[in-house]
């Protein structure tokens, strides 16, 4: 399989074709990037951990009625997924103010938002993934208004399900990024990954603003103990999923 030519290599994953054109194989890498790939590094074991966490969360969401691209994991760092056409949007949901929301609006880090904030960013590294307005979104014609309504409804449901799930793990879901794809039957399904690389996760049993961080902010901010934080997220996710 590994001798097959890659279909695509991203910052954290490599996509390979399989014998079945409807199925792709994703290899999760240990490579870590931040700030639009200006900062690069490796997080030992991250590929396997993120793949395992994403697989557990995709299965949990499927059970809750959310269609996803997940099929199975032949190895701990490999996921077979349904082939989709990715909609080039990064759909971000925020429950608590952090990251770019604080930098761009002055809201204090950690402020609980009155309701989930849903934002669309253009998935385009060369342009620095800019935040889109509603009108820019419709101008770019990346999705129809019906498709956007579906994405919005699915995203808010996913947020509710993930918040409930992470609560069982004693983890606060601060914010996260989703990507959606269109499958062979023209259905919109959840794609890409959900992991500590794409979510902000705070340990609800820690109050210290640095000690509570269990996600890629540890890498972005050079906080150390990145591997062990990811490992702890995996342990808590697997133990909650098996209950
Ligand atoms: N995010 C992501 N990929 C991106 C940009 C953001 O997975 O290319 C996630 C990020 O991990 C966080 C959320 O989306 O959970 C919101 O990120 P934010 O806009 O605050 O950006 P940042 O502060 O990371 O620059």
């Amino acid at each position: 399989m590994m001798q097959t030519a890659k279909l695509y290599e991203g910052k954290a994953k490599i996509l390979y074709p399989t014998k079945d054109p409807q199925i792709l194989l994703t290899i999760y890498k240990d490579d870590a990037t931040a700030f639009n790939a200006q900062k690069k590094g490796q997080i030992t074991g991250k590929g396997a951990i993120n793949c395992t966490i994403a697989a557990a969360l995709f299965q949990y969401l499927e059970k809750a009625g959310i269609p996803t691209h997940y099929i199975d994991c032949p190895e701990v760092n490999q996921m077979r997924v349904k082939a989709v056409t990715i909609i080039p949007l990064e759909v971000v949901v925020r429950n608590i103010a952090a990251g770019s929301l604080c930098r761009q609006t002055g809201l204090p880090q950690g402020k609980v938002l009155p309701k989930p904030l849903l934002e669309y960013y253009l998935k385009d590294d060369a342009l620095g993934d800019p935040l889109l307005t509603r009108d820019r979104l419709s101008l770019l014609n990346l999705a129809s208004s019906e498709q956007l309504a579906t994405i919005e409804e699915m995203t808010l449901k996913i947020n509710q399900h993930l918040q409930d799930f992470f609560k069982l793990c004693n983890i606060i879901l601060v914010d996260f990024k989703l990507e959606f794809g269109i499958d062979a039957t023209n259905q919109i399904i959840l794609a890409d990954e959900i992991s500590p690389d794409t979510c902000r996760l705070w340990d609800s049993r820690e109050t210290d603003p640095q000690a509570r961080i269990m996600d890629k902010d540890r890498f972005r901010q050079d906080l150390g103990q990145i591997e062990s934080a990811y490992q702890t997220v995996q342990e808590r996710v697997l133990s909650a999923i098996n209950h």
Side-chain angles (χ1 to χ4, degrees):
M1 182 60 69
M2 291 309 118
Q3 266 102 44
T4 317
K6 297 167 194 174
L7 261 188
Y8 173 79
E9 178 155 6
K11 286 172 276 193
K13 298 187 287 296
I14 309 175
L15 264 188
Y16 289 93
T18 69
K19 283 183 201 143
D20 182 341
Q22 309 268 35
I23 297 177
L24 302 179
L25 182 73
T26 312
I27 311 291
Y28 281 65
K29 302 191 285 184
D30 286 355
D31 297 350
T33 63
F35 313 118
N36 203 13
Q38 288 172 53
K39 179 180 169 114
K40 289 186 182 149
Q42 287 250 318
I43 302 174
T44 310
K46 176 173 85 75
I49 292 174
N50 279 3
C51 183
T52 304
I53 293 172
L57 296 176
F58 282 141
Q59 289 174 85
Y60 172 79
L61 290 171
E62 284 276 357
K63 275 195 192 142
I66 306 287
T68 80
H69 71 160
Y70 174 79
I71 299 173
D72 58 17
C73 291
E75 300 285 340
V76 280
N77 66 334
Q78 299 184 4
M79 188 184 290
R80 294 194 319 137
V81 298
K82 293 173 202 153
V84 294
T85 305
I86 291 284
I87 299 170
L89 286 175
E90 303 204 334
V91 184
V92 168
V93 185
R94 302 175 187 275
N95 297 307
I96 293 179
S100 69
L101 178 65
C102 299
R103 291 197 301 274
Q104 294 171 2
T105 66
L107 277 175
Q109 168 105 354
K111 182 181 168 52
V112 177
L113 304 182
K115 61 175 189 170
L117 178 68
L118 202 153
E119 298 175 328
Y120 294 97
Y121 293 81
L122 181 63
K123 188 175 152 62
D124 186 324
D125 285 340
L127 296 177
D129 296 344
L131 176 63
L132 294 175
T133 60
R134 281 268 158 196
D135 285 351
R136 284 187 184 187
L137 194 50
S138 67
L139 177 71
L140 293 179
N141 240 331
L142 301 173
S144 68
S145 48
E146 291 79 18
Q147 287 174 325
L148 285 175
T150 304
I151 288 174
E152 188 157 332
E153 190 188 332
M154 282 174 75
T155 299
L156 292 174
K157 277 190 194 154
I158 292 166
N159 182 42
Q160 195 55 60
H161 291 308
L162 290 182
Q163 276 190 305
D164 292 347
F165 179 76
F166 277 117
K167 204 174 271 179
L168 301 174
C169 306
N170 293 306
I171 290 174
I172 299 168
L173 179 61
V174 174
D175 60 29
F176 59 99
K177 184 266 297 180
L178 300 176
E179 292 180 28
F180 292 88
I182 301 173
D183 73 4
T185 67
N186 226 19
Q187 196 194 6
I188 293 188
I189 66 175
L190 180 62
D192 194 52
E193 70 178 278
I194 310 174
S195 73
D197 271 9
T198 64
C199 303
R200 283 198 170 88
L201 304 170
W202 290 353
D203 189 338
S204 64
R205 293 185 287 206
E206 283 280 354
T207 49
D208 180 84
Q210 290 194 345
R212 69 186 173 186
I213 296 173
M214 306 179 84
D215 56 66
K216 202 162 89 174
D217 274 349
R218 298 205 76 81
F219 172 75
R220 292 188 187 99
Q221 299 171 29
D222 290 318
L223 298 178
Q225 293 171 307
I226 309 172
E227 287 86 356
S228 62
Y230 275 55
Q231 187 75 47
T232 306
V233 173
Q234 171 176 267
E235 281 162 19
R236 293 198 199 173
V237 164
L238 291 183
S239 119
I241 221 99
N242 294 324
H243 259 88

